[in-house]
Amino acid sequence: MVSTENNVTIGSQTTPMSISQRLYPNLDDNTTLLMHCSNARFVYDLGLEQRNLWRKDRTAKINYPTQAKELAEARQAFTWLKEGSSAVQQQALRDLDKAFKNWWNNPAHFFRPTWRKAGDNEGFYVRDLSVRKLNRNWGEILVPRAEWVKFRITRNWNDIETASSARVTKDRSGRWFVSFTRPAPQIERESTGAIVGLDMGIASSVTTSDGMHLHMPKLLSPAESQRKRRLQRKLSSQQKGSNSRARTKLSIAKLAAKESDRRKDWVEKTTTQLVRNYDLNVLEHLKVKNMVRSASGTKENPGKNVAQKKGLNREILNQSWSFFRKRLKDKANSSGVVVTQVNPKYTSQTCSVCKHCTRQNRKSQAVFSCVACGYQADADINAAQNILAAGLAVTGCGGTPQALSHSDPMKRQPLEEEVA
Ligand SMILES: [Zn+2]
């Protein structure tokens, strides 16, 4: 899978989404950023000590508001603290508060908050985010007391621009990074009463039980694909460790980042539409085996370059589909939509009408034809209908999927490809 300079890959994106970019402060900025780091650390550790010293028999509570009030008093008393940014310092207390809440709510998963040490995971948050784009490769972020600080853009600008907050960090080798965070998306929707089964396919597509094929668009234009192939050929003939090879590698990485952004865009749009349209989305547990089917082809019609394609296909599709699942679940969770996963076994061989299950039902990759009842259908749609039926059995909704899924077609908004 594509991996850009800062190692952000599709599959590893967490919710809320976080995008890390390399930050390039000038000398003055560098001093200010270091001051913010040490202020944040100081306030965090002081707050921690205060909380550690607190005993149950004391009546006065300690929480974010009481600590923020004391911080304001301390800023009046100590000039050096006042010279720092109050926003940065307050955020350090919010951080601490959150660390304690995480720990209280889920002690099996979170450690008790501990001291922050100098040079160790140094950083601070920037709230009330302001960013601007200088050109294709460079952007700037407004950091308190430092004004605009440059960062290199390697991700989709729209994702950066719509971020709600950012954390500036310094790694052990002295490099600065800024991670932009976007909150989990909340989708405005009304209950539609519609439900759907989704067959995630081998041909970069999703088929719905009500008969739609949603195709991931070509990620690179013909010219871009050509350029990529040319660069890859060039790379193989270039000397290892040479500057020109490094330049070629960077160009390839940029194209890969472009592909990854476009794939992500498609996944974001499609999952948003699915969550808007359907109250229940049923999908299969990941079936890695089926995903590489296209590369190996059949006995009669073997695929070309099977080995290479397999590796590539598997990686890209797995990354895309696990990202797709993740985004669908994230959006569903925050919008009251149910996402259920079912066992993928036999969904492609079973007749969705009479439930007869045999391999002979598959006339070809594309066509389903039931040997028992004669039902004929697009193989992916038949599979999606089986997935939906299995999902209804799991969720205990019952009923016939067809009747339910068309219960109120007027409420369902058209998917993008229906409109086009
Ligand atoms: Zn049948």
Side-chain angles (χ1 to χ4, degrees):
M1 189 38 240
V2 279
S3 160
T4 50
E5 298 152 69
N6 47 4
N7 285 324
V8 175
T9 55
I10 282 185
S12 67
Q13 245 138 16
T14 50
T15 306
M17 289 204 2
S18 175
I19 297 156
S20 180
Q21 304 282 263
R22 179 92 182 264
L23 194 64
Y24 292 87
N26 63 29
L27 270 181
D28 285 347
D29 296 341
N30 197 61
T31 313
T32 312
L33 297 191
L34 284 173
M35 174 189 75
H36 288 332
C37 283
S38 82
N39 278 186
R41 188 178 65 239
F42 174 82
V43 170
Y44 186 97
D45 283 350
L46 198 67
L48 177 65
E49 190 179 11
Q50 196 184 29
R51 287 185 185 231
N52 285 345
L53 288 172
W54 185 80
R55 292 288 171 268
K56 271 190 179 142
D57 51 320
R58 305 219 183 133
T59 43
K61 272 190 184 166
I62 300 182
N63 50 30
Y64 172 72
T66 66
Q67 292 197 312
K69 193 166 165 255
E70 284 173 49
L71 173 65
E73 288 160 12
R75 280 174 61 85
Q76 293 310 315
F78 303 100
T79 331
W80 67 270
L81 204 56
K82 199 177 179 181
E83 274 165 11
S85 149
S86 69
V88 165
Q89 294 164 9
Q90 279 169 11
Q91 191 56 39
L93 288 177
R94 276 196 205 96
D95 257 13
L96 177 70
D97 196 51
K98 183 143 183 257
F100 267 97
K101 279 180 180 150
N102 285 343
W103 175 55
W104 290 331
N105 294 335
N106 193 353
H109 188 75
F110 291 99
F111 288 111
R112 185 196 171 98
T114 53
W115 307 108
R116 287 199 174 160
K117 297 186 193 83
D120 197 25
N121 190 21
E122 289 260 50
F124 61 92
Y125 276 98
V126 179
R127 271 159 66 96
D128 305 323
L129 196 58
S130 275
V131 287
R132 65 187 183 193
K133 194 175 182 176
L134 296 178
N135 54 43
R136 247 175 58 215
N137 298 322
W138 291 95
E140 285 185 324
I141 173 173
L142 193 59
V143 175
R145 307 287 157 100
E147 309 247 310
W148 295 99
V149 180
K150 275 188 188 172
F151 63 87
R152 182 113 185 136
I153 303 171
T154 60
R155 306 297 293 176
N156 192 333
W157 175 253
N158 189 42
D159 289 345
I160 294 169
E161 203 177 25
T162 54
S164 57
S165 70
R167 184 172 163 79
V168 174
T169 53
K170 188 175 159 225
D171 74 4
R172 281 164 189 274
S173 60
R175 294 179 303 176
W176 290 97
F177 293 91
V178 54
S179 297
F180 295 96
T181 309
R182 286 203 299 168
Q186 271 264 332
I187 294 167
E188 295 283 324
R189 78 185 292 282
E190 277 176 49
S191 171
T192 57
I195 56 181
V196 74
L198 304 171
D199 181 63
M200 318 247 280
I202 45 177
S204 301
S205 65
V206 178
T207 303
T208 69
S209 53
D210 41 19
M212 258 161 329
H213 297 285
L214 313 172
H215 291 283
M216 195 183 290
K218 277 257 179 298
L219 298 173
L220 292 180
S221 70
E224 286 167 334
S225 307
Q226 206 182 4
R227 181 151 176 265
K228 192 179 171 189
R229 280 195 300 275
R230 208 169 47 231
L231 285 167
Q232 275 162 343
R233 272 201 305 276
K234 199 171 161 192
L235 187 73
S236 60
S237 66
Q238 280 170 326
Q239 196 153 17
K240 276 191 182 152
S242 68
N243 281 336
S244 56
R245 188 184 160 90
R247 270 198 304 276
T248 309
K249 266 185 147 173
L250 184 66
S251 305
I252 292 175
K254 274 186 192 164
L255 277 173
K258 206 176 255 182
E259 274 187 294
S260 140
D261 281 342
R262 285 177 192 164
R263 185 179 300 118
K264 220 177 66 186
D265 270 0
W266 181 80
V267 168
E268 291 291 0
K269 272 187 202 139
T270 310
T271 50
T272 296
Q273 286 173 337
L274 288 168
V275 165
R276 266 210 191 107
N277 290 347
Y278 301 102
D279 289 356
L280 171 69
N281 284 263
V282 186
L283 28 103
E284 297 168 298
H285 291 291
L286 268 180
K287 42 173 183 181
V288 177
K289 245 187 188 167
N290 283 2
M291 284 190 168
V292 291
R293 214 165 38 188
S294 67
S296 5
T298 57
K299 232 186 227 168
E300 298 79 42
N301 183 21
K304 286 175 195 162
N305 303 327
V306 171
Q308 292 129 297
K309 268 195 202 161
K310 241 184 191 169
L312 191 74
N313 266 3
R314 186 187 288 139
E315 225 177 316
I316 291 179
L317 285 171
N318 286 0
Q319 294 270 4
S320 302
W321 288 149
S322 51
F323 180 56
F324 185 98
R325 275 151 207 282
K326 191 170 175 357
R327 294 309 283 163
L328 189 66
K329 282 190 221 160
D330 290 345
K331 291 173 185 178
N333 278 343
S334 56
S335 322
V337 168
V338 180
V339 173
T340 308
Q341 298 197 68
V342 296
N343 188 342
K345 228 175 177 184
Y346 305 125
T347 49
S348 61
Q349 297 173 16
T350 305
C351 172
S352 61
V353 175
C354 75
K355 305 295 167 211
H356 184 65
C357 175
T358 171
R359 215 182 251 178
Q360 272 74 52
N361 281 346
R362 291 297 293 275
K363 287 279 175 289
S364 69
Q365 187 66 45
V367 178
F368 182 92
S369 176
C370 179
V371 294
C373 75
Y375 174 66
Q376 289 217 351
D378 175 285
D380 292 334
I381 297 175
N382 179 70
Q385 284 167 346
N386 285 328
I387 291 165
L388 176 58
L392 289 173
V394 170
T395 52
C397 293
T400 57
Q402 281 84 357
L404 267 171
S405 66
H406 298 127
S407 58
D408 197 352
M410 296 313 290
K411 266 193 178 173
R412 187 169 71 78
Q413 290 174 21
L415 292 167
E416 191 163 287
E417 277 150 64
E418 287 180 291
V419 179

